[in-house]
Amino acid sequence: MTHSADRASAAGHGLAHQDILSVNQFNTDMLGAIFALTDEMRSTVRASGGCDLLRHHVLTCLFYEPSTRTSASFIAAMERLGGSVIPITQGVQYSSVAKGESLPDTIRTVEQYSDAIVLRHPEVGSARVAAEAASKPVINAGDGAGEHPTQALLDLYTIHNELGTLDGLHIAMVGDLRFGRTVHSLTRLLLQYDVKLTFVSPEILRLPLDLMNAVRDAGLPVRETYSVADVIGDVDVLYVTRVQKERFTDLAQYDEAKGFYNITPDLMRDAKSRMVVMHPLPRVGEISDAVDTDPRAAYFRQMENGMFIRMALLAAVLGKA
Ligand code: ASP
């Protein structure tokens, strides 16, 4: 369905019967509408656990890469809205994919049984390929080191929810800025706001040049550093990521880059009293467990927001909200 996804209507969320492939398809009006719908989903879950908005609707979750949060939250979202899910996830090796079936053929097959498809795939651009083959909405749940738009939406929603605003914030992204697709998508979304950005990484994990150029073209104040201690006292959001081991062709390089950062209670002593630490998870040592009880640690609240955002997105693309 790619033909219309990039020019979704500016009125409301504009997502009815659309694909969600990249954050580039969202403007601030659409984001406001999606966040309002997400608030409603949160209230519905809090009040009664869910509703029947998507009754008799079926979602296929096709995951060619491991996932815990994204797949679980899409399944929970669909079920809380009264719909059901065909999960083709860790078992993808038992499906026809393992027999050499092409992605377009798999997509054309699963859309016969479902109303929308959520796809995670190791190749950049795979979601677009799937969307071209599909006549039902395709939602990109991560295409290699490319994008992870629904994660960026839940990240942005979390920042807004935690701090009450986006404009005027100083946001630091820490860790694997080169391969971290959540960083890529969130950075692109933030270009629409009046924020200050700091990118914190070792040399080999710096933000890709095209993205850095996009930040500069947007006219936002930006700097790069390798030291969290440099920025911890000034940031409103510390967005921490793991080093993406699976994207390295040379594991010696991974070994060199891993373990570079560890956010500890000691480091948090220098942070503002009103700020948040976020992480798309899984963490593999970047944030010490002792930080979890700090009220500024927002990463588990962030995960719950993932379910509310995905409820809103499913209702929207299926034309029900
Ligand atoms: N869960 C996120 C993703 O799928 C972050 C990560 O894996 O590091 O991109």
Side-chain angles (χ1 to χ4, degrees):
M1 295 189 57
T2 50
H3 51 286
S4 50
D6 290 339
R7 48 187 168 77
S9 152
H13 56 67
L15 287 177
H17 313 295
Q18 304 294 313
D19 304 307
I20 300 176
L21 303 180
S22 162
V23 290
N24 290 338
Q25 69 194 76
F26 299 106
N27 60 37
T28 51
D29 287 342
M30 295 166 75
L31 292 168
I34 292 166
F35 292 168
L37 192 52
T38 304
D39 287 340
E40 280 178 39
M41 295 299 176
R42 172 198 294 273
S43 305
T44 301
V45 171
R46 295 275 190 262
S48 54
C51 63
D52 275 344
L53 198 62
L54 297 186
R55 191 156 171 258
H56 298 315
H57 287 73
V58 178
L59 176 72
T60 294
C61 282
L62 183 57
F63 279 65
Y64 292 80
E65 273 192 341
S67 168
T68 303
R69 281 147 287 272
T70 305
S71 60
S73 63
F74 266 113
I75 292 169
M78 196 64 187
E79 292 191 352
R80 284 188 185 276
L81 290 171
S84 54
V85 179
I86 303 172
I88 308 178
T89 51
Q90 312 300 359
V92 82
Q93 69 268 29
Y94 302 117
S95 73
S96 286
V97 170
K99 300 180 189 166
E101 183 170 62
S102 71
L103 179 61
D105 276 4
T106 304
I107 294 291
R108 279 190 212 109
T109 300
V110 296
E111 75 169 356
Q112 307 304 319
Y113 314 128
S114 47
D115 303 295
I117 300 161
V118 174
L119 175 73
R120 170 168 292 186
H121 194 282
E123 276 160 39
V124 176
S126 51
R128 193 162 287 277
V129 169
E132 269 155 20
S135 61
K136 308 269 175 73
V138 170
I139 301 176
N140 180 4
D143 60 331
E147 279 218 42
H148 195 346
T150 67
Q151 173 78 42
L153 293 173
L154 79 88
D155 290 342
L156 200 70
Y157 178 79
T158 300
I159 297 172
H160 190 269
N161 228 38
E162 294 279 330
L163 299 173
T165 182
L166 289 160
D167 288 323
L169 298 181
H170 180 187
I171 297 165
M173 312 257 192
V174 181
D176 189 345
L177 312 183
R178 178 179 172 197
F179 295 121
R181 57 194 172 197
T182 71
V183 167
H184 301 165
S185 287
L186 181 57
T187 300
R188 286 196 191 281
L189 268 191
L190 286 168
L191 298 185
Q192 303 192 47
Y193 296 89
D194 178 20
V195 293
K196 176 172 151 187
L197 295 172
T198 300
F199 295 103
V200 186
S201 73
E203 181 65 30
I204 61 164
L205 297 180
R206 283 172 68 186
L207 197 74
L209 195 59
D210 63 326
L211 198 43
M212 184 53 99
N213 287 338
V215 176
R216 294 213 169 95
D217 290 349
L220 297 180
V222 58
R223 67 179 271 242
E224 290 181 280
T225 174
Y226 61 84
S227 159
V228 179
D230 256 14
V231 289
I232 189 75
D234 189 59
V235 294
D236 303 294
V237 178
L238 193 70
Y239 188 92
V240 187
T241 62
R242 83 182 159 95
V243 179
Q244 308 276 301
K245 184 177 183 182
E246 65 275 34
R247 312 278 175 233
F248 283 79
T249 42
D250 176 0
L251 277 184
Q253 270 199 352
Y254 166 75
D255 284 334
E256 205 181 297
K258 74 172 186 208
F260 210 84
Y261 298 108
N262 181 17
I263 310 303
T264 60
D266 213 28
L267 195 65
M268 289 300 291
R269 263 191 277 283
D270 295 330
K272 292 181 186 175
S273 57
R274 186 151 193 256
M275 57 83 72
V276 284
V277 181
M278 295 172 59
H279 194 307
L281 301 179
R283 64 175 152 183
V284 283
E286 309 81 34
I287 303 178
S288 107
D289 292 355
V291 174
D292 297 359
T293 49
D294 187 317
R296 297 168 293 182
Y299 27 94
F300 292 110
R301 298 192 291 274
Q302 185 183 349
M303 294 311 114
E304 188 188 31
N305 289 338
M307 180 178 70
F308 300 137
I309 275 280
R310 287 167 178 138
M311 288 173 77
L313 295 176
L314 288 170
V317 299
L318 291 169
K320 295 288 175 185

